Amino acid sequence: LRQVKDDELKARILFALAKNELERSYKGQYYFTGVGDLPAETVNYFNQLVQYKETAFYKDACTYCKYFDDYVSR
C-alpha cells in the first residue's frame, strides 16, 4: 500500500482489506447487527479509505456496500 502512487488503487486495496476482514469474521460465525459491531480491522481500513473520498471507487463503495455507506453516514 505504501508503494502505490495511484489513489484509486489505494482505495481499492483498502476496501479489499476491509472486506477480507468482514469475510473472516463471518466465517467465525460472528454476525453484525450494525456499524458498531464491525471488526476493529475493518473499521481501521474504512477510516483509511475515507481519506480517498474524492476517488470514483470511494463513491462506488458507498453505493454498493451497505456497511461502508452506513459507516460514512453516521
Side-chain angles (χ1 to χ4, degrees), residues 53-70:
K53 62 184 171 189
E54 299 302 318
T55 64
F57 184 80
Y58 178 95
K59 294 171 181 114
D60 282 347
C62 287
T63 301
Y64 297 109
C65 179
K66 177 80 170 123
Y67 284 120
F68 186 61
D69 184 49
D70 287 350

Side-chain angles (χ1 to χ4, degrees), residues 1-63:
L1 189 60
R2 284 178 268 211
Q3 296 175 358
V4 176
K5 303 290 187 230
D6 180 50
D7 286 349
E8 289 287 337
L9 184 55
K10 284 182 183 181
R12 287 179 184 276
I13 291 168
L14 288 167
F15 187 78
L17 290 168
K19 193 156 171 83
N20 181 57
E21 289 301 321
L22 279 173
E23 292 295 323
R24 285 179 37 179
S25 295
Y26 277 132
K27 288 179 183 174
Q29 303 302 318
Y30 181 75
Y31 297 97
F32 310 106
T33 58
V35 176
D37 294 332
L38 292 173
E41 281 301 312
T42 299
V43 171
N44 179 38
Y45 294 130
F46 278 176
N47 284 338
Q48 292 179 61
L49 182 54
V50 171
Q51 298 175 60
Y52 302 101
K53 62 184 171 189
E54 299 302 318
T55 64
F57 184 80
Y58 178 95
K59 294 171 181 114
D60 282 347
C62 287
T63 301

